[in-house]
Amino acid sequence: MRIRTATASDLDAVMAIELASFGASAWTHETMRAELGSEWGRYLVAEEAGAALGYAGLRAVGVEGDVQTIAVDAAARGRGIGRALLAELLAEAERRGVRELFLEVRADNPVARALYESVGFAEIGVRPRYYQPEDVDAVVMKRVRA
């Protein structure tokens, strides 16, 4: 497996994972296209044998940043791909001088919450009914670099 910067040519593969992972609350093609091309972000693709296994995105402006998304194809989960993508996002945030990194995670996703906690994110609040149309709360988490 290798991790590389995502490009516009990855949009279809990324969206296939996005839709399978997030269903009704998935981003649209237009939103994802804009994210992949944003000057404020960096999106990654994890691939093996030319097939996308997962993707992740970071938005960084000044000393603050957001983990925008991480998703791994269901058939590739449990192999450490999400952790590897997150590690690269954390390294990118550091390179960009980010000191405070935020994210929202579904309250009903204990696996993702545990991953974030394992690298120093802590819960700072809840956004009720953030994920629509499912009415699922978002747990807001923050990681501060010393």
Side-chain angles (χ1 to χ4, degrees):
M1 179 199 65
R2 76 178 186 123
I3 295 176
R4 62 171 176 78
T5 299
T7 67
S9 66
D10 295 307
L11 181 60
D12 288 342
V14 165
M15 284 306 301
I17 297 169
E18 172 80 7
L19 292 167
S21 297
F22 302 116
S25 60
W27 289 359
T28 65
H29 273 78
E30 294 76 24
T31 298
M32 188 64 76
R33 180 181 294 111
E35 285 293 308
L36 291 176
S38 170
E39 68 180 290
W40 305 110
R42 179 164 182 228
Y43 276 71
L44 308 169
V45 170
E47 66 180 3
E48 188 172 76
L53 304 175
Y55 66 93
L58 171 75
R59 178 173 293 257
V61 180
V63 298
E64 290 186 1
D66 288 286
V67 173
Q68 296 287 89
T69 187
I70 297 178
V72 176
D73 183 83
R77 292 182 187 150
R79 295 176 42 194
I81 295 166
R83 182 171 296 279
L85 286 163
L86 180 57
E88 182 53 35
L89 290 185
L90 295 176
E92 180 68 16
E94 187 169 328
R95 286 189 290 271
R96 291 180 180 222
V98 171
R99 300 192 64 75
E100 296 181 326
L101 193 57
F102 298 88
L103 60 82
E104 291 93 14
V105 61
R106 290 176 65 107
D108 62 358
N109 189 342
V111 173
R113 290 172 69 176
L115 171 63
Y116 299 135
E117 288 170 358
S118 76
V119 296
F121 281 91
E123 182 178 334
I124 61 168
V126 174
R127 294 181 192 213
R129 304 176 65 202
Y130 181 81
Y131 293 99
Q132 292 296 324
E134 302 99 332
D135 284 337
V136 175
D137 293 349
V139 175
V140 181
M141 302 182 86
K142 178 180 177 182
R143 182 177 191 257
V144 176
R145 192 183 84 187

